[in-house]
Amino acid sequence: MRIAVTGGSGKLGSVVVRELRANGHNVVNLDVSGQRGPGFVRVDLTDYGQVIDALAGVNDQHDGIDALVHLGAIPAPGMLSDVATFHNNMPSTFNVFWAAVRLGIRRIVYASSETVLGLPFDVPPPYIPVDEEYPARPESVYSLVKHLEETMAVELVRWHPDLSITALRFSNVMWPEDYAAFPSYDADPRGRKWNLWGYIDARDGALAIERALEVAPPGFERFIIAAADTVMSKPNAELVAEVFPGVEVRGDLGEHDTMLSIDKARRLLGFEPQHSWRDEV
């Protein structure tokens, strides 16, 4: 496919661009920063004119695309002020989605966030493992934007029944070099309770995106995307008993199985994580 990736210079985006190209796709990176050269176009996503022009075609870089991967954003709460985060992320996503609709691009995969599940879980989750079945619980402006983006996607596919939008609620993205710190998390289980001890290897994030590009039907779906295991060496039963003793446990937690359920992604996308920090440390 000819694929545009917004934010293709970021932590997840750079790996997505690399992996999609390695698998034979023609990829253009639309970002405000990055290395000048083939496949890179500098675009301010808050400027609709730049967005629709870049998606339509850019000189010798590309002459149109088949699918869109939208990762460009301020990637976490607390990096900028709340207002700056909202004013960047919300208009950027609207501009990207609206330009795609106007240009006839009918396959969109984008980064939602695990934060819509209620992170940092200062209020405990309704049950463990968490899944996509309970209503969004944004606890920050960053997360509020992610919730609003999902709501916008629901309406866009209603207006355009041939449009496919897939929201991937990525867990904390990691590179292999990040794994050296993981054994230290065992000293204080509460230190990583904010996302139920979850993470996602960036290479598996790229895999989830490619699976969604290949198989997602028209309409909107949201998926939690996490590694198959937790960041902890301590067994799940001990973690939950210590940190979330009053929370309902649904099913068998396994010894180290992720508590951010990826069952839906496995079932509908055929997503199966290939990487674990336990293989690297």
Side-chain angles (χ1 to χ4, degrees):
M1 285 182 279
R2 299 174 302 168
I3 304 169
V5 178
T6 71
S9 301
K11 186 169 188 178
L12 176 59
S14 59
V15 177
V16 170
V17 168
R18 183 192 73 204
E19 295 295 304
L20 289 176
R21 285 175 175 165
N23 290 334
H25 300 287
N26 184 358
V27 181
V28 59
N29 171 18
L30 309 180
D31 208 328
V32 290
S33 63
Q35 292 290 332
R36 181 180 178 183
F40 173 72
V41 179
R42 191 177 306 279
V43 177
D44 178 355
L45 299 179
T46 65
D47 183 330
Y48 179 72
Q50 291 187 42
V51 172
I52 194 166
D53 196 36
L55 288 176
V58 180
N59 296 331
D60 58 349
Q61 296 283 25
H62 75 100
D63 59 0
I65 64 168
D66 304 311
L68 173 66
V69 177
H70 176 44
L71 308 176
I74 296 166
M79 298 182 68
L80 295 178
S81 72
D82 290 338
V83 169
T85 298
F86 189 97
H87 284 185
N88 183 87
N89 289 5
M90 194 70 224
S92 294
T93 299
F94 175 78
N95 288 344
V96 168
F97 285 7
W98 197 246
V101 168
R102 288 293 177 90
L103 291 171
I105 299 164
R106 287 300 181 259
R107 185 162 295 274
I108 300 171
V109 178
Y110 81 99
S112 185
S113 170
E114 63 182 355
T115 61
V116 299
L117 297 168
L119 276 61
F121 290 126
D122 292 332
V123 176
Y127 48 82
I128 298 174
V130 295
D131 57 25
E132 301 88 348
E133 298 307 310
Y134 65 92
R137 290 172 42 180
E139 300 290 353
S140 65
V141 168
Y142 169 83
S143 182
L144 175 62
V145 170
K146 293 299 184 183
H147 173 52
L148 294 174
E149 289 171 351
E150 290 190 6
T151 303
M152 177 169 60
V154 169
E155 301 307 328
L156 289 178
V157 300
R158 180 174 64 85
W159 294 352
H160 303 279
D162 60 337
L163 178 63
S164 173
I165 303 182
T166 304
L168 300 181
R169 294 175 170 181
F170 289 109
S171 188
N172 190 194
V173 176
M174 297 289 178
W175 286 346
E177 51 264 42
D178 296 323
Y179 294 143
F182 278 32
S184 67
Y185 298 149
D186 281 335
D188 179 14
R190 295 180 182 275
R192 290 280 309 193
K193 65 94 176 174
W194 53 270
N195 76 337
L196 293 179
W197 308 282
Y199 75 106
I200 181 67
D201 188 290
R203 294 166 292 183
D204 285 329
L207 174 63
I209 286 171
E210 188 166 24
R211 292 301 300 150
L213 287 170
E214 291 172 348
V215 307
F220 173 77
E221 279 289 1
R222 52 179 69 88
F223 299 93
I224 296 171
I225 301 297
D229 58 348
T230 69
V231 303
M232 306 294 283
S233 299
K234 186 171 289 190
N236 285 346
E238 295 182 25
L239 293 171
V240 173
E242 179 179 346
V243 181
F244 296 109
V247 174
E248 175 190 357
V249 174
R250 295 187 173 180
D252 182 5
L253 291 179
E255 186 174 12
H256 299 116
D257 293 354
T258 179
M259 290 184 247
L260 303 170
S261 175
I262 55 175
D263 289 348
K264 183 179 178 182
R266 282 172 162 148
R267 185 175 71 252
L268 298 184
L269 297 180
F271 169 67
E272 189 59 50
Q274 303 297 303
H275 301 281
S276 169
W277 71 273
R278 298 170 208 277
D279 300 326
E280 306 277 350
V281 177

